[in-house]
Amino acid sequence: MQILGIETSCDETAAAVVADGRRVRSSVVSSQVDLHARYGGVVPEIASRAHVEIVNDVIEQALVEAGVTLRDIDAVAAVHGPGLAGALLVGVSAAKAIALAIDRPYVGVNHHEAHMYAALLEDPGLEPPFVTLVVSGGHTLLIAMDDHGKYRVLGRTVDDAAGEAFDKVARFLGLGYPGGPAIDRLARQGDPKAIAFPRPMLDDGNDFSFSGLKTAVVLYMRKHPDAEVADVAASFQAAVVDVLVTKLLRVAEQTEMQTIVIGGGVAANSALRERLVEEGETSGLRIMLPSIGLCTDNAAMVASVAWWRLAADGPTSLAGGAYPSLRIG
Ligand code: KG4
Ligand code: ZN
């Protein structure tokens, strides 16, 4: 069964064709980063317009690269939440229109759930149960996936998401947008132990807080205007990674799960990945790190999760809309 997936929840227009939930036939991602960079963040209205302009071309390219036509597509999926309302509506409308035209089911997909399924595309043997860290620009979630479609949210951020903290600190340090990759690159030249930034809520339950850490960076720079920016970036990143990894491992222990899966844009962070590989080696836990292209927003993960959702729950009604605040679990 071949599913066409569409993702337009934020600033990436993406389409992909995936067979049987696991085999990626094509995955096309068109980034709007250049359009938003000069504003230092995503401008919702610009994002929606850019999606409208390019979504048909991206879908066409995904079909061509997969070597199929719409006649070969068995279902059409789109992320219907969470995300920016206008941006989501573009993908949802495109998917519903195509589904109606080719008389195939439409499947509305949760963006977080899609990030959790990215790892399944890379490892055909991977099956729940596992614990997941979904860590992106809008969310930081610790989720136990007991089975397909069965989730327990065990921790979430009480203020900024980890990616948001990366973006805000990068903007403050003058590193541009998006901030995560910029800090990741610069941190390689810095000393992660140079500055002892706080590890917020480290021993305080499974929730996260990154807003105070961002403020700590601002206060430090005000006090030490000549500080080496690479050291600040590396030390900030080390604090974020420390909190994410400590809580993730703790949740794995609490739930007695042996497998850890990560997803979302921040899962592309090299320090986070290195630390998790080390932890996997010492703890014996199985750590699944999807490749960078599957961590950041893409539509292959959308087509993948749609296959599981369609099998379990059937199609989504064409009367369904976009749900900017959609939750999981
Ligand atoms: O999942 P994603 O592509 O979009 C959302 O669903 O939000 O995540 C984007 C976020 C941004 O905040 C970006 O700065 C961050 O992921 N990010 C990174 C890295 N690459 C992307 N953060 C840290 N290190 C990276 N290498
Ligand atoms: Zn995302």
Side-chain angles (χ1 to χ4, degrees), residues 135-146:
V135 66
S136 67
H139 301 270
T140 307
L141 291 165
L142 278 171
I143 300 169
M145 179 162 165
D146 295 315

Side-chain angles (χ1 to χ4, degrees), residues 115-116 130-134 141-145 248 261-263:
H115 274 307
M116 294 167 72
F130 48 71
V131 277
T132 333
L133 172 69
V134 178
L141 291 165
L142 278 171
I143 300 169
M145 179 162 165
L248 181 52
V261 169
I262 60 171

Side-chain angles (χ1 to χ4, degrees), residues 13 32 35-36 44-55 90:
T13 318
Q32 303 176 0
L35 294 177
H36 301 289
E45 179 62 20
I46 293 178
S48 322
R49 284 171 189 236
H51 286 310
V52 169
E53 278 167 22
I54 204 165
V55 70
V90 179

Side-chain angles (χ1 to χ4, degrees), residues 111 115 136-138 163-164 166-167 178-181 184 264-266 268-269 295-297:
H111 185 79
H115 274 307
S136 67
E164 194 178 351
F166 268 98
D167 292 334
D184 193 344
V266 183
N269 183 265
C295 287
T296 49
D297 287 349

Side-chain angles (χ1 to χ4, degrees), residues 275-287:
R275 172 84 185 272
L276 282 173
V277 169
E278 281 166 24
E279 295 290 352
E281 279 162 8
T282 50
S283 66
L285 291 169
R286 184 169 171 226
I287 314 263

